[in-house]
Amino acid sequence: MRKSSIEMSVGIFMLLGLACVGYLTIQLGRMEWIGDNFYTLDARFKSVSGLKTGTQVEIAGVPVGRVDTIRLDQDREMAVVRLKIQKGITLTDDVIASIKTSGLIGDRYIKLTPGGSDKILKPGDQITETESPIDIEELISKYVFGKV
């Protein structure tokens, strides 16, 4: 009798432990369930060097989304970045998407600068105003070889 109650309590403890590990895996892995709380927008850049999928999208330093996919538009020879923005964040058609670097040699992220237009972007729309990252190597080579 006593042995079965110990086995039962150990079994319940193991199930609770597995449930906690599963919850932490989902939270730390930033997995999204069906019907997630995001909508998508596209942005075209001349260059996205250093940008990766999963990178943060920020407004005024506050994370509001992530980079979903990065692909090449071969017709226009531009990179198309799909952004997942949290629902409830409204962006207008004159928002500016810039690729920035956190710190001197840090990771890249996308900074959104809101505009003042009245027209709100709908899911699937495209951000037309974009700024590609500054290529430090190119600037240094221009300075070194006297082309500044």
Side-chain angles (χ1 to χ4, degrees):
M1 187 86 145
R2 185 150 167 77
K3 185 177 179 182
S4 66
S5 74
I6 291 174
E7 289 176 354
M8 179 69 87
S9 61
V10 169
I12 291 172
F13 181 76
M14 289 298 292
L15 285 175
L16 287 174
L18 286 174
C20 290
V21 168
Y23 175 77
L24 287 174
T25 301
I26 291 171
Q27 290 300 315
L28 295 177
R30 292 187 177 99
M31 290 180 64
E32 294 153 7
W33 299 96
I34 297 173
D36 55 2
N37 214 16
F38 296 92
Y39 67 96
T40 60
L41 295 174
D42 288 341
R44 294 181 187 276
F45 293 92
K46 291 181 183 177
S47 171
V48 291
S49 62
L51 192 69
K52 299 176 185 143
T53 58
T55 300
Q56 282 191 348
V57 177
E58 299 180 357
I59 297 177
V62 178
V64 295
R66 298 199 105 35
V67 172
D68 188 30
T69 60
I70 302 171
R71 65 179 175 83
L72 177 66
D73 181 356
Q74 292 182 349
D75 296 334
R76 295 184 183 173
E77 295 181 356
M78 295 181 82
V80 179
V81 179
R82 175 152 294 159
L83 309 174
K84 290 179 85 169
I85 307 296
Q86 295 172 3
K87 288 184 180 175
I89 304 293
T90 56
L91 299 171
T92 57
D93 65 343
D94 60 347
V95 65
I96 300 171
S98 309
I99 299 176
K100 300 290 185 181
T101 304
S102 59
L104 189 59
I105 55 171
D107 291 335
R108 303 272 184 174
Y109 68 96
I110 294 186
K111 176 185 175 186
L112 297 178
T113 307
S117 175
D118 292 333
K119 185 178 177 192
I120 295 177
L121 291 173
K122 297 183 284 299
D125 282 352
Q126 183 171 326
I127 297 173
T128 56
E129 298 292 327
T130 60
E131 296 175 349
S132 295
I134 297 172
D135 190 0
I136 300 294
E137 293 172 357
E138 184 179 331
L139 290 176
I140 291 172
S141 68
K142 283 183 181 179
Y143 178 73
V144 168
F145 297 114
K147 295 181 180 177
V148 176

